[in-house]
Amino acid sequence: MRILQLNLNHCRSAQDLLSQTVRKLGINVAIVCDQYKNLGPHYTWIANSNRQAAIWVRGGLPVQDSPSRLPNTEFSALLANVVEEAQGKRPLIVAGDFNAWSTEWGSSETKPRGVILLDALSVLDVVLLNTGHTPTFTGPQGSSIIDLSFASDSLTPRVAGWRVERGVVTNSDHRAITFNLSDHRHHRGSAGPRRRWSARTLDEEVFSERPEDMAGALITAITEACGASMSSGGGRRRRRRREPVYWWTDEIAALRRQCLRARRLVQRARGRPVQDARRVDFAVARGRLRAAIEESKRRCWSALCDEVDRNVWGRPYGTVMSRLRGPRATPPREPSLVRRTVATLFPMVTEALIRPPVRPAGAEVPDVSLEELRGAYARIRDGAAPGPNGVPNRALKLAVAVRPDAFLRVYYMLDMAGKILERIICRRLEVYTEAPIGLSDHQHGFRRGRSTIDTIESVTTAAREAVGGAIGSRKYCAVVTLDVRNAFNSARWNNILAALERIRTPEYLLKIIYSYFQARVLEYDTDDGLESCSITAGVPHGSVLGPILWNVMYDSILRLRLEEGVRVVG
């Protein structure tokens, strides 16, 4: 996580430049003081009521609390509010323009406000992050270090790179401060660190030569083949190019460089006869930059409005949708919040899982055929997420193509290859779900040859039949829609097994599904480390078998005997 701290000095152009600065520097969280205005609701922008301070969170990082609304009172009273709000909260960062002097952070002397600040924050066990003696504020009366950053003692090992940015024009009297906060994670238990490979670097010839004995140690052999044929994907990543804000132009970039040069000349001219002239030049440069930004924003907004008339689905549409969708959220890690979320989404079912009845001996369990194996792995997408072993799907598919015999002999080893086995089981279940006594014809979801269009046509046909009679005999048509709350996660396993029996699923497939439900565990990360809980109901989201098992369980709903004129569509 990269953090920026800046006092905007209630300057409009300074806040405009902030938007470009956070993009250019890859900032995740901006802590600002004296903002010109508060951003709209489509931003993760949390501010106090009187525009004294705000936190701008970018990149989908979770926000679980909001800053307190501090009254504009005496400095000591303000600090008392800060300390009261921060008591008991860890990890903790306190940052802002404190306008306090102390030799602790490089000031030439310690003034009363500096003593008050240090005394107030001492109860929080925080550590000062400021390093060096670079001024954070430069105004007509001189320079000073008044923008400070503090972090709780337990957090300081994760903080790196604190510095005052010299080459960033902010159009404020205050300079931008940046530092990095590493994403410290606990060990993932006995499984060890997860390995990753870059599928783009896969050498198919080298990979194909490695697996000599896949039948004996299939997973180990594939893992070793990945290590020999691909580079690691967990090392240094290529830096992604960040797009500038929509109104940024080469002219504005040039004016920003001129403004930066003029500011440096002012700093070098301090105490010399040319100081006043340099200040005038700097003011002119700032004015030109501010005017260019305003003109570019007006021009770009007009261009967006004009483009809507030419292409509804063009850049304006993308701009609006990006604001509506917002950034991609990352999972929260606060322990109590995560535990409550897990308990809500994954309900506990106390009833014991009933073992399928043993039927009279019949046909033997058919082996997995080469055609089934090829059909299953052909449907695995190369870009889909790998399993816990981190083996890319492209490498897995190549392994199946090179040594299908090894997979056919040992195909009940579940892990990274589990989805291929699930597809084989799913295709076998479809033989029974698509049979005459299988799923209702009113079920359109997750079935071959059926789609949302078929569902809509079924509903509209019923509506036309109701209102299409002669005048005086036409009927009313009411459409009632129902949605199952937390549907996949709340599916009862015993109900699924009973439904499979009802459509005469073979015993061996019932036993496989029964085993599929055994010992399911959910692992999730929190700030306290890796935690887990037992899963006692539901079918996994994104799994191959999930949709067909859900359809089987709810099939009886679509077969209810209802009054004449009532139709159920799934």
Side-chain angles (χ1 to χ4, degrees):
M1 182 189 301
R2 189 159 171 77
I3 300 174
L4 178 142
Q5 175 185 341
L6 177 63
N7 187 315
L8 296 172
N9 204 22
H10 300 295
C11 177
R12 181 174 183 175
S13 61
Q15 186 153 335
D16 287 337
L17 284 174
L18 174 67
S19 301
Q20 172 63 14
T21 300
V22 296
R23 288 172 179 260
K24 180 180 179 181
L25 299 181
I27 300 300
N28 303 112
V29 178
I31 304 171
V32 298
C33 303
D34 294 339
Q35 62 269 30
Y36 174 76
K37 66 177 180 179
N38 290 325
L39 299 183
H42 48 266
Y43 292 92
T44 308
W45 178 279
I46 305 171
N48 63 344
S49 58
N50 54 8
R51 297 184 186 175
Q52 283 187 328
I55 299 175
W56 183 15
V57 183
R58 303 180 69 253
L61 293 174
V63 180
Q64 298 170 14
D65 293 302
S66 61
S68 59
R69 298 189 171 188
L70 302 177
N72 189 17
T73 58
E74 296 292 334
F75 184 65
S76 58
L78 183 145
L79 285 177
N81 285 333
V82 171
V83 171
E84 181 181 359
E85 179 72 17
Q87 282 281 17
K89 295 185 178 180
R90 296 294 186 274
L92 177 69
I93 290 180
V94 179
D97 171 15
F98 293 93
N99 196 23
W101 286 46
S102 173
T103 55
E104 292 281 340
W105 46 81
S107 302
S108 58
E109 59 178 310
T110 298
K111 294 185 177 180
R113 288 168 67 96
V115 176
I116 295 173
L117 175 63
L118 290 174
D119 289 344
L121 297 186
S122 62
V123 300
L124 297 179
D125 294 326
V126 293
V127 177
L128 179 68
L129 300 181
N130 292 54
T131 59
H133 295 82
T134 304
T136 65
F137 170 85
T138 302
Q141 305 302 321
S143 302
S144 59
I145 304 173
I146 55 178
D147 300 279
L148 309 174
S149 311
F150 298 86
S152 53
D153 186 60
S154 60
L155 194 63
T156 51
R158 297 168 52 187
V159 177
W162 189 100
R163 68 176 182 178
V164 179
E165 295 287 349
R166 293 177 177 270
V168 176
V169 175
T170 64
N171 257 21
S172 169
D173 293 335
H174 296 257
R175 291 182 177 178
I177 294 171
T178 60
F179 57 94
N180 296 317
L181 184 63
S182 64
D183 184 16
H184 175 72
R185 291 182 180 270
H186 298 263
H187 294 293
R188 298 185 62 87
S190 59
R194 176 171 174 172
R195 301 184 66 179
R196 294 185 298 175
W197 289 277
S198 174
R200 295 190 303 272
T201 66
L202 174 62
D203 188 324
E204 296 187 5
E205 183 177 351
V206 174
F207 184 94
S208 302
E209 293 174 352
R210 293 291 296 184
E212 297 295 337
D213 186 21
M214 281 185 142
L218 183 62
I219 303 301
T220 301
I222 294 177
T223 303
E224 292 177 353
C226 286
S229 61
M230 283 176 280
S231 62
S232 173
R236 190 186 187 99
R237 297 183 178 181
R238 181 179 299 176
R239 186 171 182 177
R240 181 171 60 89
R241 182 176 179 271
R242 299 183 176 91
E243 295 295 329
V245 289
Y246 73 96
W247 46 262
W248 192 257
T249 64
D250 292 340
E251 178 191 2
I252 294 177
L255 289 173
R256 189 180 188 180
R257 289 193 295 269
Q258 294 174 15
C259 193
L260 177 61
R261 182 174 182 273
R263 188 182 72 178
R264 289 172 177 167
L265 292 176
V266 170
Q267 294 169 346
R268 295 170 185 170
R270 189 172 298 133
R272 297 166 56 188
V274 295
Q275 182 176 3
D276 291 340
R278 293 288 185 260
R279 284 179 178 171
V280 172
D281 293 341
F282 181 40
V284 171
R286 289 179 63 179
R288 289 175 179 172
L289 177 59
R290 184 184 301 110
I293 291 174
E294 294 299 320
E295 173 60 26
S296 179
K297 292 178 73 174
R298 284 194 297 268
R299 185 174 61 251
C300 289
W301 174 251
S302 298
L304 281 175
C305 294
D306 294 339
E307 191 173 339
V308 171
D309 297 330
R310 298 192 303 271
N311 182 9
V312 175
W313 308 110
R315 190 165 58 121
Y317 173 80
T319 302
V320 172
M321 290 305 296
S322 66
R323 295 290 179 87
L324 293 178
R325 284 192 296 263
R328 183 178 179 180
T330 54
R333 294 174 55 87
E334 198 280 319
S336 61
L337 175 62
V338 177
R339 291 171 193 139
R340 290 197 304 271
T341 303
V342 169
T344 301
L345 292 180
F346 299 92
M348 294 293 294
V349 175
T350 56
E351 64 182 5
L353 184 59
I354 301 175
R355 182 181 295 274
V358 178
R359 295 179 179 176
E364 295 182 359
V365 178
D367 292 332
V368 177
S369 67
L370 183 59
E371 290 72 22
E372 284 182 297
L373 180 62
R374 287 174 174 168
Y377 85 75
R379 296 189 61 186
I380 300 293
R381 293 184 294 108
D382 288 348
N389 281 354
V391 175
N393 289 323
R394 183 182 166 198
L396 176 62
K397 292 166 66 175
L398 180 59
V400 176
V402 172
R403 290 295 302 275
D405 56 310
F407 283 84
L408 293 176
R409 285 198 295 269
V410 294
Y411 218 108
Y412 289 96
M413 296 176 67
L414 285 176
D415 190 355
M416 63 171 184
K419 283 197 173 183
I420 294 182
L421 177 58
E422 282 193 59
R423 290 196 182 279
I424 294 172
I425 297 171
C426 185
R427 292 297 293 271
R428 292 190 177 187
L429 282 176
E430 286 176 351
V431 174
Y432 302 95
T433 59
E434 299 302 321
I437 63 170
L439 297 179
S440 167
D441 288 336
H442 298 303
Q443 175 59 269
H444 297 276
F446 309 115
R447 300 181 71 183
R448 290 179 183 274
R450 299 168 185 252
S451 67
T452 305
I453 301 300
D454 299 320
T455 314
I456 295 172
E457 288 182 351
S458 177
V459 173
T460 55
T461 298
R464 282 193 294 266
E465 292 174 357
V467 302
I471 297 177
S473 63
R474 293 176 180 173
K475 303 175 182 178
Y476 290 101
C477 179
V479 179
V480 180
T481 60
L482 302 176
D483 186 23
V484 181
R485 178 183 178 185
N486 200 20
F488 272 33
N489 290 343
S490 58
R492 297 294 183 99
W493 292 343
N494 284 335
N495 293 354
I496 293 174
L497 291 171
L500 289 173
E501 281 194 81
R502 189 167 56 249
I503 62 173
R504 301 177 186 175
T505 305
E507 178 189 345
Y508 83 92
L509 283 177
L510 290 175
K511 289 183 176 179
I512 289 176
I513 301 303
Y514 174 83
S515 177
Y516 180 77
F517 291 147
Q518 295 290 315
R520 301 199 75 92
V521 176
L522 172 70
E523 289 188 349
Y524 53 92
D525 276 330
T526 73
D527 286 330
D528 289 346
L530 188 68
E531 298 186 9
S532 64
C533 69
S534 297
I535 300 297
T536 57
V539 288
H541 286 259
S543 66
V544 176
L545 285 174
I548 193 171
L549 297 180
W550 194 91
N551 274 354
V552 166
M553 188 186 73
Y554 276 88
D555 185 65
S556 58
I557 301 296
L558 301 180
R559 296 181 180 275
L560 290 174
R561 294 184 179 181
L562 303 171
E563 296 182 5
E564 183 180 358
V566 180
R567 182 182 305 181
V568 180
V569 179

